[in-house]
């Protein structure tokens, strides 16, 4: 476990590494084969599948792309999925006021 990142982030990396490992094995690819396809080292693949936070985002994205899973990440981080940000935007909108219009103006 790495103390330099939040526990929730480490849990996500571990989960993502497991998902990549499962996807790789379902395709009957060895770690060596994935490393060759990604033009990276076997140790990088092993560390990624362990959820090591030192693995660069480019490596993660390359693996997900090769496995046909990158679109899921794109969907998950799209602005439309940012519920906290959307809520903050809505809270900043001006509040509507009811204005009384004199009958003489109607």
């Amino acid at each position: 476990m790495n103390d330099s990142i939040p526990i929730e982030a480490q849990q996500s990396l571990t989960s993502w590494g497991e998902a990549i490992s499962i996807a790789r094995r379902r395709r009957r690819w060895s770690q060596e084969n994935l490393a060759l396809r990604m033009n990276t080292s076997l140790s990088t693949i092993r560390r990624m599948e362990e959820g090591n936070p030192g693995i660069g985002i480019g490596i993660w994205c390359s693996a997900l792309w090769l496995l046909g899973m990158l679109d899921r990440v794109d969907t998950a981080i799209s602005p439309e999925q940012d519920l906290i940000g959307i809520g903050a935007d809505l809270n900043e909108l001006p509040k509507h006021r009811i204005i009384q219009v004199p009958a003489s103006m109607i």
Side-chain angles (χ1 to χ4, degrees):
M1 194 64 64
N2 187 306
D3 293 334
S4 65
I5 65 171
I7 186 75
E8 295 85 358
Q10 182 58 60
Q11 290 169 342
S12 289
L13 289 174
T14 300
S15 176
W16 298 350
E18 290 171 2
I20 287 172
S21 176
I22 290 167
R24 174 186 56 75
R25 287 180 282 135
R26 283 182 174 161
R27 288 157 181 75
R28 309 290 191 261
W29 296 353
S30 66
Q31 288 180 325
E32 294 87 354
N33 184 267
L34 182 58
L36 284 171
R37 290 171 186 254
M38 291 177 56
N39 195 31
T40 194
S41 69
L42 176 57
S43 66
T44 296
I45 300 301
R46 287 183 177 149
R47 291 185 351 229
M48 178 180 59
E49 290 186 357
E50 292 168 357
N52 184 307
I55 300 299
I57 190 75
I59 296 293
W60 287 99
C61 287
S62 294
L64 292 167
W65 177 77
L66 275 169
L67 295 165
M69 299 165 65
L70 187 58
D71 60 326
R72 295 186 213 169
V73 174
D74 291 341
T75 300
I77 66 169
S78 72
E80 293 80 16
Q81 299 299 320
D82 181 12
L83 301 181
I84 294 171
I86 291 169
D89 281 349
L90 292 175
N91 287 334
E92 295 297 318
L93 291 176
K95 305 297 183 215
H96 294 285
R97 297 184 322 193
I98 298 175
I99 299 174
Q100 296 284 334
V101 177
S104 63
M105 294 184 70
I106 298 178

